Each structure stands twice: as structure tokens, then as C-alpha cells.
Amino acid sequence: METIDLIALRKFSKATGQPTHPEMLDARPIEHVNKIEITEEFITIEFNEVTTRYYNANEITKREWEYKYNDDPELVAAIAKVIDLSRKHLTVLPENVSCPPGCAECCSGYEPFVSTGDLTRMAEHLGMTEREVMKEYIVERPSADGYHVGWVRKVTDDVNDKCVFLMGSRSGRYYCGIYNARPGDCRDFSPIGCQDVDEDLPRTSMFTPGAAFSPKKRRKTRTKL
Ligand code: SF4
Ligand code: SF4
């Protein structure tokens, strides 16, 4: 937890002769606010922060900032404004937490890792054996701990090319062809803080995805004699 002493801020205000003003606060913690708690002495803001990219996904961590204040009414009024701003911000947050329909820039930019559990799910979904899925759709690269078996292939050898399971022919119309069975990496990929979004796409548009991905090979079903 990090603490900002607002009393120091008040001193700063005195030094400049300016009234305490919310804009002087570091508003970073309120960008992804989850919870605000106010006690007599503290305002605690709990928020999510995108820290690093981990296995192609943004890792969202919970953090807390604690604002300390005293009875200064001017300061409390300033804090109230900050809280109002954060609540307002929360109402526009859905812009950041949902992808515009049909955007799939991330399905070209990254290679999602595939765990053993993902492989089983994908094989089941595609009606193939795990060995066949590995051969056709996974670049084999087992992790040292045995958790991952590799990553999803691209349509060509170019790592910037589209994921082999990406369907649709243009931005705004893309969709995942194995959506229900997609790897955990794809499930966890967060649009919060996404730098790759196709900004030209309207978030209000809708489209119906087409046919699901159809594998080249299907597991041969045994027939009883
Ligand atoms: S599996 Fe689906 S969601 Fe994951 S990268 Fe490929 S197309 Fe995108
Ligand atoms: S907004 Fe970002 S996370 Fe969402 S589909 Fe587009 S590139 Fe992927």
C-alpha cells in the first residue's frame, strides 16, 4: 500500500497561495477504481493496475492507495471532488473494459500459450486427438514445468500473421473460430489498457459471427462391428 499525505499537499497549497485543488492530486489510482473507503482519518482507494505483460496477457493486480487527511474542510471538499471524478470515471470505464466487436488485433499480435488443459479442451472441441491438434495447430515448445505445450500457430510462418483459428476477413468482422475452447491465454487477455485496439471500430456495432473453425482432420470414430 502506498500512502500520500494530503497534509503535505495542503502545505504546498499554502506555499503557492492557491486553494487545494483536486487536479493537484495524482489521479492515477482512480483510473481503475474498485472501491473507495472513507474513515475519519483515511480515504483508501482500491484499484486495479495493469503491470506487465505475462504470457501475452496483461496482468491486472490489485493495489491500494491510502490518502491521509485531517479535519480541514477545504481539503475534505477537495477529496469529495476527487471521489466524484472517480465515480464519473467509473461510468465511462466500460469503454476500456470491452473490446469493440470484431476487433482482433491481439489475435495477430500475440501467440497465445497453450497449456495441457487447453490442449485437451481444444482436441475435444475440434473432434481430434491431442496429437493431431499438436501437429496441425500448435508450435511445440513445452515449458520447463510441463504446464505449457507450446503456442497457437499463425496462418503462415510470420509471427505477425493471424492466428490459425481467427475467422472473418477484416477488422470489425473478425471472430474466434474456437471461442468456447480457446486457450486460457486468450480468455485472460484483458482489453484494459490494450494498446492494439482498432480505434476506427465503433463499440456500438454488432455482427453475427459466421461458421465455427472447421479442422482439416477429424478423429476417426470407431464403428462397432
Ligand atoms: S484462439 Fe481465438 S481468441 Fe485466441 S488468438 Fe486465436 S483467434 Fe484469437
Ligand atoms: S481491443 Fe485489444 S484486447 Fe480487445 S480484441 Fe482488440 S486488440 Fe484484442
Short mmCIF file of all heavy atoms in Angstrom, two decimals, residues 74-117:
data_model
loop_
_atom_site.label_atom_id
_atom_site.label_comp_id
_atom_site.label_asym_id
_atom_site.label_seq_id
_atom_site.Cartn_x
_atom_site.Cartn_y
_atom_site.Cartn_z
N GLU A 74 -11.63 22.33 3.71
CA GLU A 74 -11.27 22.63 2.32
C GLU A 74 -10.70 21.38 1.64
O GLU A 74 -11.04 21.04 0.50
CB GLU A 74 -10.22 23.74 2.33
CG GLU A 74 -9.95 24.35 0.97
CD GLU A 74 -8.81 25.35 1.07
OE1 GLU A 74 -8.76 26.11 2.07
OE2 GLU A 74 -7.98 25.35 0.17
N LEU A 75 -9.87 20.71 2.43
CA LEU A 75 -9.25 19.51 1.91
C LEU A 75 -10.27 18.39 1.70
O LEU A 75 -10.28 17.70 0.68
CB LEU A 75 -8.17 19.05 2.91
CG LEU A 75 -7.08 18.15 2.36
CD1 LEU A 75 -6.41 18.77 1.15
CD2 LEU A 75 -6.06 17.88 3.44
N VAL A 76 -11.16 18.27 2.67
CA VAL A 76 -12.19 17.23 2.56
C VAL A 76 -13.08 17.51 1.34
O VAL A 76 -13.44 16.60 0.59
CB VAL A 76 -13.02 17.15 3.86
CG1 VAL A 76 -14.20 16.21 3.69
CG2 VAL A 76 -12.13 16.69 5.02
N ALA A 77 -13.35 18.79 1.11
CA ALA A 77 -14.17 19.13 -0.05
C ALA A 77 -13.43 18.77 -1.34
O ALA A 77 -14.03 18.28 -2.31
CB ALA A 77 -14.48 20.62 -0.03
N ALA A 78 -12.11 18.99 -1.31
CA ALA A 78 -11.31 18.66 -2.49
C ALA A 78 -11.34 17.15 -2.75
O ALA A 78 -11.49 16.70 -3.89
CB ALA A 78 -9.88 19.13 -2.31
N ILE A 79 -11.25 16.39 -1.65
CA ILE A 79 -11.28 14.93 -1.78
C ILE A 79 -12.64 14.48 -2.32
O ILE A 79 -12.72 13.60 -3.18
CB ILE A 79 -11.02 14.25 -0.41
CG1 ILE A 79 -9.65 14.59 0.11
CG2 ILE A 79 -11.20 12.73 -0.52
CD1 ILE A 79 -8.51 14.07 -0.71
N ALA A 80 -13.68 15.14 -1.83
CA ALA A 80 -15.02 14.79 -2.30
C ALA A 80 -15.10 14.98 -3.82
O ALA A 80 -15.71 14.17 -4.53
CB ALA A 80 -16.06 15.65 -1.60
N LYS A 81 -14.43 16.02 -4.30
CA LYS A 81 -14.44 16.25 -5.75
C LYS A 81 -13.70 15.12 -6.47
O LYS A 81 -14.12 14.68 -7.54
CB LYS A 81 -13.76 17.59 -6.07
CG LYS A 81 -14.70 18.75 -5.95
CD LYS A 81 -14.05 20.01 -6.51
CE LYS A 81 -14.87 21.22 -6.08
NZ LYS A 81 -14.16 22.47 -6.36
N VAL A 82 -12.60 14.69 -5.86
CA VAL A 82 -11.84 13.59 -6.46
C VAL A 82 -12.72 12.34 -6.55
O VAL A 82 -12.74 11.63 -7.56
CB VAL A 82 -10.56 13.29 -5.65
CG1 VAL A 82 -9.88 12.04 -6.18
CG2 VAL A 82 -9.61 14.47 -5.72
N ILE A 83 -13.45 12.09 -5.47
CA ILE A 83 -14.31 10.90 -5.45
C ILE A 83 -15.40 11.02 -6.51
O ILE A 83 -15.69 10.07 -7.23
CB ILE A 83 -14.90 10.70 -4.03
CG1 ILE A 83 -13.75 10.30 -3.09
CG2 ILE A 83 -15.99 9.63 -4.03
CD1 ILE A 83 -14.10 10.35 -1.64
N ASP A 84 -15.96 12.22 -6.62
CA ASP A 84 -16.96 12.44 -7.67
C ASP A 84 -16.37 12.13 -9.04
O ASP A 84 -17.00 11.47 -9.87
CB ASP A 84 -17.44 13.89 -7.65
CG ASP A 84 -18.57 14.07 -6.67
OD1 ASP A 84 -19.02 13.05 -6.11
OD2 ASP A 84 -18.98 15.22 -6.44
N LEU A 85 -15.16 12.64 -9.25
CA LEU A 85 -14.50 12.41 -10.53
C LEU A 85 -14.30 10.93 -10.79
O LEU A 85 -14.53 10.44 -11.89
CB LEU A 85 -13.11 13.09 -10.54
CG LEU A 85 -13.06 14.57 -10.85
CD1 LEU A 85 -11.63 15.07 -10.68
CD2 LEU A 85 -13.52 14.82 -12.28
N SER A 86 -13.88 10.23 -9.72
CA SER A 86 -13.62 8.80 -9.90
C SER A 86 -14.91 8.05 -10.21
O SER A 86 -14.93 7.14 -11.03
CB SER A 86 -12.93 8.21 -8.68
OG SER A 86 -13.80 8.23 -7.58
N ARG A 87 -16.02 8.48 -9.57
CA ARG A 87 -17.31 7.82 -9.85
C ARG A 87 -17.72 8.08 -11.29
O ARG A 87 -18.22 7.20 -11.98
CB ARG A 87 -18.37 8.33 -8.89
CG ARG A 87 -18.06 7.86 -7.47
CD ARG A 87 -19.31 7.72 -6.63
NE ARG A 87 -18.98 7.05 -5.40
CZ ARG A 87 -19.07 7.62 -4.20
NH1 ARG A 87 -19.49 8.85 -4.07
NH2 ARG A 87 -18.74 6.93 -3.13
N LYS A 88 -17.48 9.31 -11.72
CA LYS A 88 -17.81 9.67 -13.10
C LYS A 88 -16.98 8.80 -14.04
O LYS A 88 -17.45 8.28 -15.03
CB LYS A 88 -17.46 11.14 -13.31
CG LYS A 88 -18.51 11.92 -14.07
CD LYS A 88 -17.97 13.28 -14.35
CE LYS A 88 -19.00 14.33 -14.11
NZ LYS A 88 -18.42 15.66 -14.10
N HIS A 89 -15.71 8.66 -13.66
CA HIS A 89 -14.80 7.88 -14.48
C HIS A 89 -15.27 6.43 -14.59
O HIS A 89 -15.18 5.82 -15.65
CB HIS A 89 -13.40 7.93 -13.88
CG HIS A 89 -12.34 7.38 -14.78
ND1 HIS A 89 -11.70 8.16 -15.70
CD2 HIS A 89 -11.86 6.14 -14.92
CE1 HIS A 89 -10.85 7.41 -16.37
NE2 HIS A 89 -10.93 6.17 -15.91
N LEU A 90 -15.80 5.95 -13.48
CA LEU A 90 -16.29 4.57 -13.48
C LEU A 90 -17.39 4.37 -14.51
O LEU A 90 -17.52 3.32 -15.10
CB LEU A 90 -16.82 4.21 -12.09
CG LEU A 90 -15.80 3.69 -11.09
CD1 LEU A 90 -16.49 3.39 -9.78
CD2 LEU A 90 -15.13 2.43 -11.61
N THR A 91 -18.18 5.41 -14.72
CA THR A 91 -19.30 5.26 -15.67
C THR A 91 -18.78 5.18 -17.10
O THR A 91 -19.46 4.66 -17.96
CB THR A 91 -20.32 6.41 -15.55
OG1 THR A 91 -19.67 7.62 -15.93
CG2 THR A 91 -20.90 6.51 -14.16
N VAL A 92 -17.59 5.72 -17.35
CA VAL A 92 -17.08 5.62 -18.72
C VAL A 92 -16.11 4.45 -18.86
O VAL A 92 -15.68 4.13 -19.94
CB VAL A 92 -16.39 6.92 -19.20
CG1 VAL A 92 -17.36 8.07 -19.22
CG2 VAL A 92 -15.18 7.26 -18.38
N LEU A 93 -15.81 3.80 -17.73
CA LEU A 93 -14.84 2.71 -17.76
C LEU A 93 -15.20 1.59 -18.74
O LEU A 93 -14.30 1.04 -19.36
CB LEU A 93 -14.66 2.14 -16.35
CG LEU A 93 -13.39 1.34 -16.12
CD1 LEU A 93 -12.17 2.18 -16.43
CD2 LEU A 93 -13.34 0.84 -14.69
N PRO A 94 -16.51 1.26 -18.94
CA PRO A 94 -16.81 0.20 -19.89
C PRO A 94 -16.18 0.39 -21.26
O PRO A 94 -15.91 -0.56 -21.96
CB PRO A 94 -18.34 0.22 -19.97
CG PRO A 94 -18.74 0.68 -18.61
CD PRO A 94 -17.70 1.69 -18.22
N GLU A 95 -15.90 1.64 -21.63
CA GLU A 95 -15.16 1.88 -22.87
C GLU A 95 -13.85 1.12 -22.86
O GLU A 95 -13.39 0.64 -23.88
CB GLU A 95 -14.84 3.38 -22.98
CG GLU A 95 -16.00 4.23 -23.44
CD GLU A 95 -16.04 4.34 -24.94
OE1 GLU A 95 -15.03 4.76 -25.54
OE2 GLU A 95 -17.08 3.99 -25.52
N ASN A 96 -13.25 1.02 -21.66
CA ASN A 96 -11.94 0.39 -21.57
C ASN A 96 -12.00 -1.10 -21.31
O ASN A 96 -11.03 -1.79 -21.48
CB ASN A 96 -11.13 1.01 -20.42
CG ASN A 96 -10.97 2.50 -20.58
OD1 ASN A 96 -11.04 3.00 -21.68
ND2 ASN A 96 -10.78 3.20 -19.49
N VAL A 97 -13.14 -1.56 -20.80
CA VAL A 97 -13.17 -2.96 -20.38
C VAL A 97 -13.88 -3.87 -21.37
O VAL A 97 -14.07 -5.02 -21.10
CB VAL A 97 -13.78 -3.14 -18.97
CG1 VAL A 97 -12.96 -2.43 -17.92
CG2 VAL A 97 -15.23 -2.71 -18.94
N SER A 98 -14.28 -3.33 -22.50
CA SER A 98 -14.85 -4.22 -23.50
C SER A 98 -14.18 -3.94 -24.84
O SER A 98 -13.77 -2.82 -25.12
CB SER A 98 -16.35 -4.01 -23.62
OG SER A 98 -16.61 -2.69 -24.05
N CYS A 99 -14.08 -4.95 -25.65
CA CYS A 99 -13.45 -4.80 -26.96
C CYS A 99 -14.51 -4.37 -27.95
O CYS A 99 -15.65 -4.83 -27.87
CB CYS A 99 -12.88 -6.12 -27.44
SG CYS A 99 -11.80 -6.92 -26.24
N PRO A 100 -14.17 -3.52 -28.92
CA PRO A 100 -15.16 -3.23 -29.95
C PRO A 100 -15.43 -4.52 -30.74
O PRO A 100 -14.49 -5.25 -31.05
CB PRO A 100 -14.49 -2.17 -30.83
CG PRO A 100 -13.07 -2.17 -30.47
CD PRO A 100 -12.91 -2.82 -29.13
N PRO A 101 -16.69 -4.84 -31.03
CA PRO A 101 -16.99 -6.08 -31.72
C PRO A 101 -16.19 -6.21 -33.01
O PRO A 101 -16.07 -5.27 -33.78
CB PRO A 101 -18.49 -5.96 -32.02
CG PRO A 101 -19.00 -5.05 -30.95
CD PRO A 101 -17.90 -4.06 -30.70
N GLY A 102 -15.65 -7.41 -33.22
CA GLY A 102 -14.93 -7.68 -34.46
C GLY A 102 -13.48 -7.28 -34.45
O GLY A 102 -12.76 -7.53 -35.41
N CYS A 103 -13.02 -6.66 -33.36
CA CYS A 103 -11.60 -6.30 -33.27
C CYS A 103 -10.83 -7.56 -32.90
O CYS A 103 -11.26 -8.33 -32.06
CB CYS A 103 -11.38 -5.23 -32.21
SG CYS A 103 -9.64 -4.84 -31.95
N ALA A 104 -9.72 -7.77 -33.53
CA ALA A 104 -8.93 -8.96 -33.19
C ALA A 104 -7.45 -8.66 -33.41
O ALA A 104 -6.70 -9.53 -33.80
CB ALA A 104 -9.37 -10.14 -34.03
N GLU A 105 -7.08 -7.41 -33.17
CA GLU A 105 -5.67 -7.05 -33.38
C GLU A 105 -4.76 -7.94 -32.55
O GLU A 105 -3.68 -8.31 -32.97
CB GLU A 105 -5.46 -5.58 -32.99
CG GLU A 105 -6.21 -4.58 -33.84
CD GLU A 105 -5.77 -4.60 -35.30
OE1 GLU A 105 -4.56 -4.55 -35.54
OE2 GLU A 105 -6.64 -4.69 -36.18
N CYS A 106 -5.24 -8.30 -31.35
CA CYS A 106 -4.41 -9.14 -30.46
C CYS A 106 -4.26 -10.55 -31.01
O CYS A 106 -3.30 -11.25 -30.67
CB CYS A 106 -4.99 -9.16 -29.05
SG CYS A 106 -6.74 -9.55 -29.02
N CYS A 107 -5.21 -10.98 -31.85
CA CYS A 107 -5.14 -12.34 -32.39
C CYS A 107 -4.11 -12.41 -33.53
O CYS A 107 -3.86 -13.47 -34.08
CB CYS A 107 -6.50 -12.78 -32.91
SG CYS A 107 -7.77 -12.80 -31.64
N SER A 108 -3.55 -11.26 -33.88
CA SER A 108 -2.46 -11.23 -34.85
C SER A 108 -1.16 -10.89 -34.15
O SER A 108 -0.09 -11.36 -34.53
CB SER A 108 -2.73 -10.19 -35.93
OG SER A 108 -3.93 -10.45 -36.59
N GLY A 109 -1.26 -10.07 -33.13
CA GLY A 109 -0.04 -9.56 -32.49
C GLY A 109 0.63 -10.53 -31.54
O GLY A 109 1.81 -10.39 -31.26
N TYR A 110 -0.10 -11.50 -31.03
CA TYR A 110 0.46 -12.37 -29.98
C TYR A 110 0.30 -13.84 -30.33
O TYR A 110 -0.55 -14.20 -31.13
CB TYR A 110 -0.24 -12.09 -28.65
CG TYR A 110 -0.13 -10.65 -28.23
CD1 TYR A 110 -1.19 -9.78 -28.40
CD2 TYR A 110 1.07 -10.18 -27.71
CE1 TYR A 110 -1.07 -8.44 -28.05
CE2 TYR A 110 1.19 -8.85 -27.35
CZ TYR A 110 0.12 -7.99 -27.52
OH TYR A 110 0.25 -6.68 -27.19
N GLU A 111 1.11 -14.63 -29.67
CA GLU A 111 0.97 -16.09 -29.83
C GLU A 111 0.54 -16.64 -28.47
O GLU A 111 1.36 -16.77 -27.57
CB GLU A 111 2.30 -16.75 -30.21
CG GLU A 111 2.92 -16.25 -31.49
CD GLU A 111 3.85 -15.09 -31.24
OE1 GLU A 111 4.78 -15.22 -30.46
OE2 GLU A 111 3.60 -14.03 -31.83
N PRO A 112 -0.75 -16.96 -28.34
CA PRO A 112 -1.20 -17.46 -27.04
C PRO A 112 -0.58 -18.81 -26.69
O PRO A 112 -0.55 -19.71 -27.52
CB PRO A 112 -2.72 -17.58 -27.20
CG PRO A 112 -2.99 -17.48 -28.65
CD PRO A 112 -1.83 -16.84 -29.32
N PHE A 113 -0.10 -18.92 -25.47
CA PHE A 113 0.44 -20.19 -25.00
C PHE A 113 -0.71 -21.17 -24.78
O PHE A 113 -1.84 -20.78 -24.48
CB PHE A 113 1.19 -19.98 -23.68
CG PHE A 113 2.58 -19.44 -23.89
CD1 PHE A 113 2.81 -18.09 -24.00
CD2 PHE A 113 3.66 -20.31 -24.00
CE1 PHE A 113 4.09 -17.60 -24.20
CE2 PHE A 113 4.94 -19.84 -24.20
CZ PHE A 113 5.16 -18.48 -24.30
N VAL A 114 -0.39 -22.43 -24.94
CA VAL A 114 -1.39 -23.49 -24.79
C VAL A 114 -0.95 -24.41 -23.66
O VAL A 114 0.15 -24.96 -23.69
CB VAL A 114 -1.53 -24.29 -26.11
CG1 VAL A 114 -2.51 -25.43 -25.95
CG2 VAL A 114 -1.97 -23.37 -27.24
N SER A 115 -1.80 -24.55 -22.67
CA SER A 115 -1.49 -25.44 -21.55
C SER A 115 -1.97 -26.85 -21.88
O SER A 115 -2.70 -27.05 -22.86
CB SER A 115 -2.17 -24.94 -20.28
OG SER A 115 -3.56 -25.13 -20.40
N THR A 116 -1.60 -27.79 -21.04
CA THR A 116 -2.07 -29.17 -21.27
C THR A 116 -3.59 -29.22 -21.19
O THR A 116 -4.24 -29.92 -21.95
CB THR A 116 -1.44 -30.13 -20.24
OG1 THR A 116 -1.64 -29.58 -18.94
CG2 THR A 116 0.04 -30.35 -20.48
N GLY A 117 -4.15 -28.44 -20.26
CA GLY A 117 -5.61 -28.38 -20.11
C GLY A 117 -6.26 -27.78 -21.36
O GLY A 117 -7.30 -28.25 -21.83
#
